[in-house]
Amino acid sequence: MSTARILIVEDEANIRRFVRIALQDEGFQVFEADSVKRALIHAASRQPDLVIVDLGLPDSDGKQLISELRGWLAVPILVLSARDREEEKVAALDAGADDYLTKPFGVPELLARIRAQLRRHGHTGTVVATSKVAFGEIAVDLATHQVWRSGQPVHLTPIEYRLLCAMIRGQNRVLTHRQLLLEVWGLDYVDRAHYLRVHMAHLRQKLEVDPTQPQYFITELQVGYRLVGL
């Protein structure tokens, strides 16, 4: 277990250094990222056996990172955060985290929780899918947020990209309007179905050969949408 690879995602250099030294002293192989963007790249290239995530990151909330990682990485995720409210803990766990440790923390407890998670997951570091996904003429790199159609790069807005990722994570399942609104926009928007219709139309316009006859982003009448072809 001591050879496990661990990715630390923390924007405060002093805390990152403190955790890195503690883990290296135990024999772990450690990688560091100070942003969601860097974390996704490291997660895809380094294939860690466990990820430690701070929620307060400069380019996005850590819960968004957890949700994105859960789309294609099946390793334990441990939150290490100063946010101690119950709602924050519940939201992080619902996003896909396996455990939550509040700052300030003791090294023995951190190490014990890491060992417990590695044991529970069998220390296999299994990746459930590559970070690169393709359907038809569409290719997506979930780690770098790049999208191509017929080999040409496609620019998606942040909302369009989150919607695309939500559909990919659905893996041919029907996703209800509420599910997509909750995942892409958040709890305050679950009754705003018109947001979903508008952005789905934009996504089809950019990725479908004929947006009026979609091959991939299929409407399930009065229910939601389904991505086919994965």
Side-chain angles (χ1 to χ4, degrees):
M1 185 179 296
S2 61
T3 57
R5 299 179 302 277
I6 297 180
L7 172 60
I8 305 169
V9 188
E10 166 67 64
D11 64 325
E12 293 189 34
N14 289 339
I15 295 178
R16 204 167 60 242
R17 179 176 178 274
F18 173 74
V19 174
R20 172 174 55 78
I21 291 173
L23 297 181
Q24 287 177 335
D25 284 347
E26 292 296 309
F28 293 112
Q29 187 176 1
V30 181
F31 308 103
E32 301 177 43
D34 58 3
S35 66
V36 168
K37 181 179 179 180
R38 295 298 303 169
L40 289 169
I41 293 172
H42 278 311
S45 61
R46 306 289 191 175
Q47 296 191 6
D49 299 302
L50 182 141
V51 182
I52 298 174
V53 177
D54 178 30
L55 296 183
L57 297 169
D59 53 344
S60 184
D61 189 89
K63 294 189 292 295
Q64 181 64 36
L65 170 61
I66 294 168
S67 180
E68 291 199 38
L69 288 175
R70 272 292 164 255
W72 50 278
L73 196 67
V75 302
I77 298 175
L78 169 63
V79 172
L80 198 58
S81 176
R83 302 178 188 177
D84 58 0
R85 294 188 302 127
E86 183 179 7
E87 307 93 278
E88 287 284 356
K89 296 179 181 180
V90 170
L93 294 169
D94 281 344
D98 295 274
D99 200 358
Y100 196 111
L101 184 58
T102 305
K103 300 175 183 176
F105 59 92
V107 170
E109 183 178 5
L110 172 63
L111 294 174
R113 290 182 184 237
I114 288 172
R115 289 192 294 266
Q117 289 299 329
L118 290 173
R119 283 196 303 270
R120 190 168 296 131
H121 285 74
H123 184 198
T124 61
T126 303
V127 177
V128 297
T130 176
S131 64
K132 295 182 180 179
V133 176
F135 51 98
E137 296 297 316
I138 310 303
V140 183
D141 191 325
L142 297 168
T144 63
H145 292 202
Q146 293 176 294
V147 182
W148 299 267
R149 175 183 161 191
S150 300
Q152 298 299 312
V154 178
H155 172 72
L156 299 182
T157 67
I159 288 290
E160 290 164 359
Y161 181 77
R162 290 205 295 272
L163 180 56
L164 174 61
C165 288
M167 298 294 291
I168 289 172
R169 286 193 290 270
Q171 295 187 355
N172 295 307
R173 291 184 292 110
V174 176
L175 301 175
T176 67
H177 298 132
R178 181 180 176 85
Q179 282 177 300
L180 289 168
L181 287 164
L182 183 62
E183 183 168 349
V184 177
W185 282 272
L187 186 60
D188 294 337
Y189 295 83
V190 293
D191 296 321
R192 304 186 187 184
H194 61 285
Y195 279 38
L196 184 56
R197 288 195 299 272
V198 168
H199 287 279
M200 183 61 75
H202 291 167
L203 203 58
R204 284 170 168 165
Q205 191 70 39
K206 293 180 179 181
L207 297 181
E208 295 278 5
V209 174
D210 181 358
T212 64
Q213 300 289 331
Q215 301 177 53
Y216 310 118
F217 302 94
I218 307 302
T219 299
E220 300 291 343
L221 290 177
Q222 300 182 335
V223 178
Y225 298 94
R226 177 166 53 97
L227 175 63
V228 301
L230 284 177

